[in-house]
Amino acid sequence: MPYYDDDGNELDPSAIPMPQMCQMCDKKDDPHEEILCNLNRLDQKDEPAFKCHAFVSLYGSLIDDIIE
């Protein structure tokens, strides 16, 4: 599914590196979360620190406290 910026330029979410936080997220392979995750990554591509308020750790609450 293509995404477009405000100027109509097509954006490719696969070209944006996936942050380490996303690699440890339980929603990473959930097709229902794909659009939200892609838009979040695209929106923060130039930010120094990645933040995701939808993050759910694969490892339970053990790691949730140390990420952010």
Side-chain angles (χ1 to χ4, degrees), residues 31-58:
H32 300 289
E33 297 290 330
E34 181 179 11
I35 293 172
L36 178 62
C37 292
N38 286 339
L39 291 174
N40 192 23
R41 286 177 33 237
L42 285 166
D43 186 50
Q44 297 187 59
K45 67 180 177 168
D46 297 323
E47 298 294 322
F50 181 78
K51 295 179 184 175
C52 180
H53 299 289
F55 176 77
V56 176
S57 174
L58 287 170

Side-chain angles (χ1 to χ4, degrees), residues 4-17:
Y4 299 91
D5 66 11
D6 293 337
D7 298 322
N9 301 313
E10 187 171 343
L11 303 170
D12 182 9
S14 65
I16 306 296

